[in-house]
Amino acid sequence: MPFDVASVRGLFPSLGDGWIHLDSQNGTQIPDAVGSAVARGIRSFPVPGGGLSRQSVEAAAMTAQARSAIADLLDADPDCVVFGPSRAAVVCALVDALPVTRWIGDGIVLSRLDDEENIVPWLRGAARHGSVVRWAEVDVEQGTLPPWQYSNLVTDRTTVVAVTLASSTTGAITDIGQIAGHAHAAGALLVVDATNAAPFVPLTMSELGADVVIVSAERWGGPRMAAMVFSSRAVMDSLTNVSLNPHAVGPARLEVAAAPAALLSGVVASVDLLAGLETNAAGTRRRRLTMSMDATYEYLQRLTFYLVSSLDSLGHVHVIGVDTHRVPLVSFVVRGVAASKVCGRLNDNGISAAFDVPSRALDAIGVSDAGGAVSVGLGMYSTPYEVDQLVRVLGSFG
């Protein structure tokens, strides 16, 4: 059965504002079910879990439900799910929780394809401990992260490898399997930021081969909450307690403060929404998630191909990166026109896009010399008509 984008659009009240929202890098539009869940949560969970009052017990139960929801998304253990207010916050907590021995040796391998959230906290930690940082570079022609370079970057003295599963700017998907092999052979902790892939690609913790996977719910229509998921309790328990509560146990040891149960209720609602995108999906939530994500991915792959082909048909527009093996996140430059001016005209025509997205990948490719890049992101509610309107406005620069 074809992906029913019309029904999906009906789940997002904000799409009725007349705008075309192509800036999913800044966050996906919020479905009604998520907004309602958070509103109910604010009324129902005014106190944190951990106490004996009815509201506190219910808040703790909601936290457990949220851990289970993220675990279903990644086919992981709910007891290995850690929450935080943002990607940067959970990575900072991980950096603080690493034992000193993890900062000895050649130290950290980072990638210039990553978002700053999975770079800056590691740089600060390395500076604090005097650790060496080594960089995986971007293929400037393809906009990808060649995995072969990790055979030279990762040594027996490497302790952490942090890398993105997909780029928020070029959309390129990273071959994590090869990188995981090098990291595990060295005994390094492999931290994969799957935020940019999670709304579009079915994810399985064991198949990724990562020790830690990071996702952020606002990218698939949830509230601004992030999760850090560990491959096992042993990996998680090897880290030191960073919680303000010295008696915290389990995943709460790596949560500086307890996550608001109201927002966690929105996380649960957002995962349930993902599981229901395919109307014929049945069975457990994990099975429904897999079927729904497969259907969404197939639809968005076709739409991304249409987007890239349409942009390529404009002689004055250059799409950055490869045409295939990408999530529906695309950056481009308009010849002779600054990205800010392009976004300004798009904005005047009711189209939201992003520019000046902090990106070491785009810096390496050299887009600043061309006036910067415009970044657009398709969502589960995007349509061919919206792509046509984008191309129509961009055509006016020719």
Side-chain angles (χ1 to χ4, degrees), residues 135-148:
W135 288 94
E137 302 294 347
V138 175
D139 183 320
V140 296
E141 293 185 357
Q142 300 293 317
T144 59
L145 188 70
W148 56 261

Side-chain angles (χ1 to χ4, degrees), residues 220-258:
W220 64 73
R224 291 193 176 273
M225 291 291 297
M228 179 167 58
V229 186
F230 290 84
S231 60
S232 69
R233 284 292 299 267
V235 173
M236 186 177 70
D237 291 345
S238 69
L239 304 176
T240 59
N241 186 352
V242 297
S243 172
L244 297 177
N245 176 8
H247 305 296
V249 296
R253 294 172 58 253
L254 300 178
E255 295 170 349
V256 177

Side-chain angles (χ1 to χ4, degrees), residues 273-297:
L273 181 134
L274 286 180
L277 293 177
E278 172 54 65
T279 56
N280 292 328
T284 64
R285 180 166 56 191
R286 171 62 189 177
R287 177 172 173 76
R288 288 182 285 115
L289 276 165
T290 300
M291 295 178 66
S292 292
M293 296 303 290
D294 282 339
T296 306
Y297 180 73

